[in-house]
Amino acid sequence: MSGVASTLAKKRAMAAGFGTNSKAIPYLNQNFEALRAQCRASGQLFSDPMFPAAPESLGFKELGRNSSKVRGVTWKRPTELVSKPEFIIGGATRTDICQGALGDCWLLAAIASLTLNEYVMARVVPTDQGFGSDYAGIFHFQFWQFGEWVDVVIDDRLPAKDGELLFVHSAEGREFWSALLEKAYAKMNGCYEALSGGSTTEGFEDFTGGIAENYDLQNPPSNLFQIIKKALEAGALLGCSIDITSAADSEAVTRQKLVKGHAYSLTGAVEVNYRGRQEKLVRMRNPWGQVEWTGAWSDGSSEWSYVQGDCPLAKAEDGEFWMSFNEFVRNYSRIEVCTLTPDTINDDSVKHWSVSKFDGTWRRGSTAGGCRNHPYTFWTNPQFAIKLDEEDDDPDDGEVGCSIVVGLIQKNRRRLRKDGEDMHTIGFAIYELPPQFHGQREVHLDKNFFLTHGQKARSETFINLREVSTRFKLPPGEYLIVPSTFDPHLNGDFCIRLFSEKQTETLPCDDPVNAELDEDQVSDSEVDSGFRNMFSKLAGADMEISANELKTIMNKIVSKRTDIKTDGFSMETCRVMVNLMDDSGNGKLGIGEFATLWKKVQKYLSIYKKNDLDNSGTMSTPEMRVAFKDAGFTLNNNIYQLLVARYADPDMTLDFDNFVACLMRLEMMFRIFKKLDSHNTGFIEFDFNQWLNFSMI
């Protein structure tokens, strides 16, 4: 299926509700229920052709076919490894997740946090499977991927060496949910090796669909306690850790029983009246279920005796403990906050944040403009407008404004690792929209706007992570977000999400698709004698010009010019020109039709020269976008991407013949549509034969 057709098909599927929380899309069109039923009917255990038990599923370099690390690896089903395998024993716990020979501890930390939220866990790890009567060697898991939920099917053949699982395994040995979950995640990302190295927040997001933020506790925001409190009220997942300075530090226990390099959950935040003043406290949870903080506010400490009024419960040794917020900031290194989407939280008591999400693409030569360091191309990046109307409900926070979290995710980069690619360096800039642009969404702001307006805010950094997210507090108003790669001309797909405490309006900003078509037709009687004589010499005995004759004429003319570059008009271009101007339908141009075409080519030559700003004789693709507007065409990002892909040279320039070919085809498409849309509805309808005739033009 062509790219355009695939995009349209996907949009229709999403409109029908596919990809939502309750209706995950079967990944690679593999339907779990149907496949399991087929296997049970045939008596055969499932073998996944999309992720085979083969070297390419392991990796491409460190775990590649010829690597010593994969020597002796065999693929075994749980039934071949232990006598009575279980999917989950007694509920999912942290001890089910022991790291193997793969550097994906970031993913395992996220899986460990997943076990703390039963509702989220039950969706990622569906309970309709196991090794009981329905067992058919097939399992499935659900992940969030860039705005949609996908259902990933796998077989249960797992990589093993010397009779032991090579990667994730449970301490118990008979429990396999974590190993199968890791395999499904590896399939979605291309192979196991693609999971090596990453951030826990990436896993947080893929298990919840939430948006994750990182805070460095060496330099925390002044209102961090308020951020934590609001995040917990909104049902967010919070994780924190103490950095290690050497390998020996890993899981080392401090004097006051905090574990270094270990993932904790933060599960509560309160203020208590302590000795006549307010004391901020946070509740922590060690997933081990033991080893607790022994300092101030620990279980049974003397501080609890001096609390007036409401007092949170201080339990016994269960892995959960309280500590003062100040001690927390002093002892821990970082905190990760994953704010969940409303559809993830099955609890009416939490305060849901509003969520907006849009997909976009950066394409070399059309919409990949790079960062603000590249003013010549920056304006060509996709643009999104946000309208902030209501300020936060923040009685305890002195700062007035609208809280938003903006997250920019680059899609599918892990899958490209086996092709030698990796993460781009990405970020975004935010501009305050001047009053004249308020309420306007059908406008793509041009180079002049960005040369004369400074940014209001920006992502904390440009970085080569899957996601860049930053929290802002902005005054009510309208703003423009411009996501970009750091360098221009890099291809990539992205999604941008905006989480806000209050309702916001977020929409893409793009030029409308329209054309102001020149209706000046030159009639035969209007042609002067000089042009008539020239036409007689060019047309031959039949006094009409065919596409072949037009090609000869055009190439003779352009070959004499030194101020424009061209490799000559092709037969295809000349056919388009004839088709556009030929009213009689005989495939040739009479004198009036040729005169009209000649006038049009002269106009396009003038526009070409005007927009060739560096006098190179060619036109760059950003110059092309401006030139098309001069020619009467306003087009959106998607159409520019198609035109650049089909008409630009590899160096992202257009020579004169391609410029004319592109404009002529555009004009023909607009004219056909307008002619068929006689009532100006914006829609036309074809039967199959009409479609074939139209597409053959």
Side-chain angles (χ1 to χ4, degrees), residues 74-132:
T74 55
W75 296 77
K76 300 282 188 184
R77 298 189 189 268
T79 50
E80 298 172 289
L81 291 167
V82 297
S83 58
K84 290 183 179 177
E86 295 280 355
F87 188 56
I88 295 179
I89 301 174
T93 62
R94 182 198 172 276
T95 57
D96 301 341
I97 307 147
C98 301
Q99 190 171 355
L102 187 62
D104 62 349
C105 59
W106 61 274
L107 175 64
L108 310 191
I111 297 173
S113 292
L114 184 65
T115 64
L116 304 178
N117 187 318
E118 288 182 19
Y119 177 74
V120 176
M121 174 79 185
R123 193 187 49 225
V124 175
V125 185
T127 54
D128 59 347
Q129 54 193 336
F131 295 93

Side-chain angles (χ1 to χ4, degrees), residues 3-39:
V4 176
S6 295
T7 302
L8 288 171
K10 187 169 182 180
K11 283 183 178 175
R12 286 182 178 173
M14 290 184 75
F18 288 99
T20 57
N21 189 344
S22 58
K23 205 171 186 180
I25 293 172
Y27 186 66
L28 302 178
N29 290 320
Q30 291 178 293
N31 184 287
F32 171 70
E33 295 287 355
L35 289 169
R36 182 167 66 176
Q38 286 173 19
C39 291

Side-chain angles (χ1 to χ4, degrees), residues 365 376 611-612 614 616 618-625 651-654:
Y376 184 63
N611 287 286
D612 177 16
D614 57 359
S616 63
T618 61
M619 182 177 290
S620 69
T621 49
E623 289 170 343
M624 176 192 92
R625 191 159 186 157
D651 63 354
M652 293 296 108
T653 62
L654 275 84

Side-chain angles (χ1 to χ4, degrees), residues 133 154 398 637:
S133 58
I154 54 163
N637 286 338

Side-chain angles (χ1 to χ4, degrees), residues 388-391 400-402 432 456 473-479:
L388 305 176
D389 285 329
E390 288 186 76
E391 294 174 347
V400 175
C402 310
E432 190 168 5
K456 178 79 173 177
K473 184 163 273 194
L474 298 170
E478 294 199 25
Y479 298 88

Side-chain angles (χ1 to χ4, degrees), residues 293-343:
W293 162 252
T294 58
W297 299 101
S298 59
D299 291 0
S301 67
S302 60
E303 285 80 10
W304 295 107
S305 305
Y306 300 98
V307 173
Q308 288 96 42
D310 290 340
C311 177
L313 188 63
K315 294 181 182 175
E317 179 82 1
D318 57 0
E320 196 161 73
F321 56 88
W322 289 91
M323 63 194 303
S324 82
F325 177 66
N326 289 335
E327 290 264 34
F328 164 72
V329 172
R330 207 163 26 246
N331 280 277
Y332 283 82
S333 307
R334 64 194 64 258
I335 181 169
E336 296 169 336
V337 179
C338 185
T339 302
L340 305 186
T341 55
D343 64 358

